[in-house]
């Protein structure tokens, strides 16, 4: 990672630009409201007398932790159910990010719940915690399956932690991740059948079951049923596979009613090739051009197991796509002038974005970073014009002796950068460098848009 | 029915489980009261009585209760009847014990250990409240709420009392339609509360003859007090009173 | 992947703090109504629907016949008014309690039950044979006086709410 230093005495021109609008966090409000509802449900279902003994108090708090964890599990699932409302309100990349965040929270809450129930129960029954465990297992309904489900859930959580995730292939990780559904199913029964807040309250049981049923319904609808229907509608197939310079390959898809997908430049799809070796994975691939009436194009770098198998795909292979996703689109631009920075496979979405921005009348400067001149994929498609200036920047930083994206170089290349929106896509390190440089040159945070390549 | 119920679980092995079970037991009793009450306008009993429900529509519970009532009626020669003299369906004589036994079943199944359940004076006991002795159940003197006719010690079993001193003459003789008279109270001990409750009501309806009758129909002990204060009992019942038996 | 690494843990910590606060508010701040008894649960008094629709026997104390039974005198379904319905046998569905299955089949002729078969029942009969061995009289005269507090529970005829309050059972319950 480049260390950023600020030059002393950088002159930052004062620019007026419309203040970027903040997105109203409707989704956050909904989740908070739900959490408060769960809290209220616990409150009114727990008599104050329960807390007169420490064991009773701990057990009651353990139940609260369990209720919150169970509710947040539904939120977690809904985040990745690919519900269109969430996608437009929050954005696909942030949905995944929050799904991961909540995963940590939920696993920790579940473990807290288990601990509190054991300790609380042990105090109530005057047993050691060690003896309380078999006691509870023998007496509470469906507790054995809840234990198995919890263990599975924790295992899935551990496998998704950053350290472990790196050691697993995507397929192995995903297969393990799918067992979450089993874990949730196993742990559900002990809640409504054994939970003291549910046992005598038919309404509460009904609401809880409906919550889970609605979540399952959302998943089945938007992750299974609708993509299958779309597949039948569009009949996408691989049309051609074209190498695009070192390490990058373009895949052309053809099909019907492609325009109905309503994809914009900069967006991505989850692409699943229906052929041996590719069935199991849906990869996020960004469009590298705005779709025409009958064609889509993705330009893919060699990342992960499957991307390296992509050049060997045969034309005619059927393809299932879900999307479009992503908010890395031309609509986000807040100024008439725009700077686009592409690195590696990031040139794909930048190329598609440029098409939309040009069509909308923006003035573009495109900086294209690559290791060497042969790796400047799609360079020929950036036709220079009055509205488009294309600047290739090949060469490793070690060979060049400097960093082409250093703030001073950037200011030299693009003197009016402070007046431009910045769209950057490429490796993480490059994005961080560009964002830091742009900020230091006076570009407001709301005018910088980024897309990480997963 | 308006039954007060109290439950005593002295030493549950798992207290949370026991609390859960007790709550469920109460809700089961409240549920039965709602469904079988003569006074709740749309209770199942009222609706069946009014002809709104057909036999096939009845819930399994009501079907079972009616079947129990019918068996009891046959066994008592008609003295026990769920049809009041004016024709209304009145299941109180069997439902109270039935509902309380159902509530007790919850506690038994939850393995809460020893317990004592008292629903409106009908009692189900199980186990030992303290190691070494059973539950002490006092049988109330009809004329003095603070005195007992007898105190029975039992571990597993049920005790039901039917009497005229609280609700007046509310039990009728199904054979004649007249209100039963002759006995001020009848107490029956049996293995389960349904049997005890039905028998206690039947004994009250049958009068003094009912004492001997009941011991042949599933009662393990019978105690009764006539209106003029004589205490009657079958052999087991007399033993409970400390009276020397004929043999 | 440059989102906050510890966001999940931070949210968890906040949630735990909220749970703790809820516990304090519920158990410490709100005054404690019923002190728990030392031995087990003690007694829970469940007045079932004593307030609703006159179920308490206030209206029924004149237990004899007519008064108080609202509206049912009009419809008398037992009067044999129903004509020749064939006998109908209804098999009740299994009352699926976890505490035992009960299933009864009932044959109706008109509105009269003519036959009953018990198909399944929790096996309670066995207990009644054992019971007589276990019911032991406690005879000492002083025990028969309620003041001696030796009785765990009282069997009596159906209580009205008022009768209950005065009764010994109530005293036992309050004593815990």
């Amino acid at each position: 990672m480049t260390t950023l230093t600020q030059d002393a005495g950088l002159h930052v021109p004062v620019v007026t630009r419309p203040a970027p609008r903040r997105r109203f966090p409707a989704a956050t409000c909904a989740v908070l409201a739900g959490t408060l509802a769960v809290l209220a449900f616990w409150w009114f279902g727990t008599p104050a007398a329960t807390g007169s003994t420490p064991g009773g108090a701990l057990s009651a708090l353990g139940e609260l932790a369990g209720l919150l964890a169970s509710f947040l599990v539904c939120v977690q699932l809904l985040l990745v159910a690919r519900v269109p409302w969430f996608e437009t309100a929050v954005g696909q990349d942030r949905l995944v990010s929050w799904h991961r965040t909540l995963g940590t929270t939920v696993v920790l809450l579940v473990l807290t719940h288990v601990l509190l129930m054991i300790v609380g129960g042990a105090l109530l029954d005057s047993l050691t915690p060690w003896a309380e465990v078999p006691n509870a297992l023998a007496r509470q309904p469906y507790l054995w399956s809840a234990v198995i489900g919890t263990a599975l859930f924790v295992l899935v959580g551990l496998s998704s932690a950053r350290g472990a995730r790196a050691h697993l292939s995507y397929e192995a990780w995903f297969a393990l991740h799918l067992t979450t559904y089993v874990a949730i199913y196993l742990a559900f029964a002990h809640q409504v059948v054994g939970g003291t807040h549910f046992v005598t309250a038919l309404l509460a049981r009904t609401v809880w079951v409906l919550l889970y049923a609605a979540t399952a319904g959302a998943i089945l609808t938007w992750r299974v049923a609708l993509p299958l229907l779309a597949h039948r509608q569009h009949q996408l197939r691989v049309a051609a596979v074209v190498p695009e310079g070192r390490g990058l390959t373009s895949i052309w898809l053809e099909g019907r009613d492609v325009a109905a997908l309503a994809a914009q430049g900069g967006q991505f799809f989850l692409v699943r090739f229906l052929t041996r070796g590719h069935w199991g994975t849906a990869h996020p691939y960004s469009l590298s051009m705005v779709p025409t009436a009958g064609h889509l194009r993705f330009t893919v770098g060699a990342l992960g197991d499957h991307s390296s198998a992509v050049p060997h795909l045969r034309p005619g292979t059927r393809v299932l796509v879900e999307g479009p996703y992503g908010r890395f689109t031309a609509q986000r631009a807040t100024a008439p002038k725009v700077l686009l920075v592409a690195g590696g496979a990031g040139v794909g979405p930048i190329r598609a974005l440029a098409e939309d921005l040009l069509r909308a009348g923006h003035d573009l400067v495109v900086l294209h970073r690559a290791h060497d001149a042969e790796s400047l994929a799609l360079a020929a498609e950036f036709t220079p014009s009055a509205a488009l200036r294309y600047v290739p920047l090949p060469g490793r930083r070690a060979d060049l002796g400097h960093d082409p994206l250093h703030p001073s170089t950037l200011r030299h290349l693009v003197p009016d950068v402070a007046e431009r929106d910045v769209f950057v896509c490429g490796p993480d390190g490059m994005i961080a460098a560009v964002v830091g440089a742009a900020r230091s040159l006076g570009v407001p945070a709301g005018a910088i848009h980024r897309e990480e390549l997963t | 029915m308006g039954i007060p119920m109290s439950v005593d679980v002295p030493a549950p092995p798992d207290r949370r489980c026991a609390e859960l079970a007790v709550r469920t037991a109460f809700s089961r009793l409240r549920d039965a009261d709602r469904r079988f009450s003569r006074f709740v306008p749309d209770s199942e009993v009222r609706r069946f009585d009014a002809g709104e429900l057909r036999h096939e529509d009845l819930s399994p519970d009501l079907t079972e209760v009616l079947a129990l009532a019918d068996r009891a009626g046959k066994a008592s020669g008609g003295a026990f009847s769920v049809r009041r003299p004016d024709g209304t369906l009145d299941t109180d004589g069997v439902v109270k014990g039935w509902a309380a036994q159902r509530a007790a079943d919850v506690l038994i199944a939850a393995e809460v250990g020893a317990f004592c359940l008292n629903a409106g004076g009908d009692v189900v006991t199980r186990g030992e409240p303290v190691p070494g002795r059973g539950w002490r159940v006092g049988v109330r003197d009809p004329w003095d709420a603070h005195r007992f006719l007898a105190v029975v010690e039992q571990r597993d079993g049920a005790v039901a009392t039917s009497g005229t001193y609280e609700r007046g003459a509310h039990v009728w003789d199904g054979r004649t339609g007249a209100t039963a008279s002759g006995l001020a109270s009848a107490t029956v001990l049996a293995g389960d509360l349904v049997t005890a409750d039905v028998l206690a009501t039947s004994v009250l309806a049958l009068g003094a003859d009912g004492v001997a009758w009941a011991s042949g129909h599933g009662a393990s002990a019978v105690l009764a007090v006539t209106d003029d204060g004589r205490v009657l009992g079958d052999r087991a019942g007399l033993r409970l009173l400390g009276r020397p038996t004929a043999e | 992947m440059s989102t906050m690494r510890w966001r999940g843990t931070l949210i968890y910590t906040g949630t735990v703090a909220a749970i703790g606060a809820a516990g304090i508010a519920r158990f410490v701040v709100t005054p404690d109504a019923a002190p728990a008894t030392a031995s087990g649960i003690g007694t829970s008094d469940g007045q079932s629907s004593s307030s609703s629709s006159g179920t308490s026997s206030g209206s029924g104390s004149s237990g004899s016949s007519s008064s108080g039974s609202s509206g049912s005198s009009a419809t008398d379904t037992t009067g044999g008014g129903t004509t020749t319905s064939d006998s109908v046998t209804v098999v009740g569905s299994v009352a699926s309690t976890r505490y035992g299955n009960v299933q009864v089949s009932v044959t109706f002729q008109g509105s009269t039950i003519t036959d009953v078969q018990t198909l399944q029942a929790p096996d309670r009969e066995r207990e009644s044979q054992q019971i007589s061995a276990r019911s032991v009289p406690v005879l000492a005269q002083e025990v028969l006086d309620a003041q001696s507090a030796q009785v765990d529970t009282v069997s009596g005829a159906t209580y009205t709410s008022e009768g209950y309050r005065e009764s010994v059972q109530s005293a036992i319950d309050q004593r815990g």
Side-chain angles (χ1 to χ4, degrees), chain A residues 165 168-171 278 281 283 285 300-311 454:
Chain A
R165 174 81 180 82
L168 286 171
S169 74
Y170 182 80
E171 290 68 38
H278 292 260
T281 323
H283 261 296
Y285 289 155
V300 177
L303 305 163
D305 302 332
H306 269 191
S307 303
S308 54
V310 151
T454 46

Side-chain angles (χ1 to χ4, degrees), chain A residues 357-434:
Chain A
L357 286 166
L358 271 181
R359 210 169 280 152
H362 292 267
D363 175 295
L364 305 183
V365 172
V366 179
L367 300 181
H368 190 174
R369 280 285 292 132
H371 287 310
D372 49 43
E374 290 80 23
S375 302
L376 289 167
L378 307 183
E381 302 188 20
F382 290 97
T383 314
S385 70
L388 174 67
R389 184 173 136 230
Y390 174 72
V391 182
L393 298 167
R396 295 180 190 273
R397 281 168 287 171
D399 302 331
L400 293 171
H402 70 279
D403 179 8
L405 296 175
H406 189 274
S408 55
T409 325
L410 200 55
R411 187 165 57 103
H412 174 72
L413 284 170
V414 190
D416 59 352
V417 64
E419 300 165 40
R420 290 182 181 267
D421 264 46
V422 178
F423 286 80
V424 54
C425 184
D428 277 2
M430 190 199 85
I431 292 179
V434 168

Side-chain angles (χ1 to χ4, degrees), chain A residues 344-360:
Chain A
V347 68
I350 292 291
R351 151 70 180 85
L353 200 49
E355 192 179 331
D356 267 345
L357 286 166
L358 271 181
R359 210 169 280 152

Side-chain angles (χ1 to χ4, degrees), chain B residues 3-5 7 26 33 55 71 83-84 88 105 109 118 121 133 136 138 145-146 151 153 156 161 165-167 220, chain C residues 42-44 46-49 63 72 78 99 110 118 124 131 134 136 138 146 150 152-155 157 160 168-169:
Chain B
I3 307 171
M5 178 162 103
V7 174
F26 276 114
D33 181 42
H55 307 302
R71 246 205 310 246
R83 289 274 167 206
R84 300 176 67 82
T88 34
D105 286 344
N118 186 324
R133 72 158 175 91
R136 298 224 175 100
H146 296 272
V151 177
E153 185 172 308
D156 297 355
T161 300
Y165 47 88
E166 282 259 350
R167 293 209 296 176
S220 41
Chain C
T43 54
S44 330
Q47 287 273 61
S48 59
S49 57
S72 56
T78 60
Y99 326 113
T118 304
R124 302 198 193 104
I131 192 64
R134 293 190 208 177
V136 173
V138 179
Q150 289 272 356
D152 297 313
T153 192
V154 177
S155 175
T160 58
V168 174
Q169 183 62 40

Side-chain angles (χ1 to χ4, degrees), chain A residues 23-37 71 75 85-86 89-90:
Chain A
R23 227 163 256 277
F24 186 69
T28 316
C29 282
V31 172
L32 282 176
T35 309
L36 284 174
F71 169 69
V75 173
W85 182 71
F86 294 146
V90 181

Side-chain angles (χ1 to χ4, degrees), chain B residues 56-217:
Chain B
E56 306 85 74
D57 300 329
L58 297 180
S59 64
D61 284 345
L62 183 53
T63 310
E64 181 192 350
V65 163
L66 289 175
L68 289 166
D70 184 72
R71 246 205 310 246
K74 292 206 175 69
S76 62
F80 178 96
S81 166
V82 287
R83 289 274 167 206
R84 300 176 67 82
D86 64 6
T88 34
L89 186 63
D90 178 355
T91 51
D92 285 0
V94 58
V95 158
K96 188 157 67 71
W98 176 88
Q101 181 66 53
R102 279 291 181 93
D105 286 344
V106 173
L107 300 176
I108 294 171
E111 296 178 346
V112 301
F115 70 85
C116 172
L117 181 152
N118 186 324
D122 292 346
V123 176
V124 179
T125 62
R126 204 140 180 108
E128 303 180 340
V130 295
R133 72 158 175 91
W135 292 92
R136 298 224 175 100
V137 182
V139 179
R140 209 199 97 158
D141 183 324
W143 292 285
D144 185 346
H146 296 272
R147 284 188 60 80
F148 300 115
L149 292 179
V151 177
V152 175
E153 185 172 308
Q154 67 176 29
R155 284 164 176 75
D156 297 355
V159 183
T161 300
S162 199
T164 56
Y165 47 88
E166 282 259 350
R167 293 209 296 176
H170 65 95
V171 179
W172 63 97
D173 185 335
R175 302 168 295 187
T176 63
T179 54
S181 63
L183 294 179
S185 86
T187 300
V188 171
L189 281 72
D192 73 280
L193 191 53
V194 179
T195 307
D197 195 26
V198 163
L199 288 176
T201 311
S202 302
V203 169
L204 206 67
L206 286 166
D209 300 334
V211 176
W213 167 88
S215 55
H217 283 81

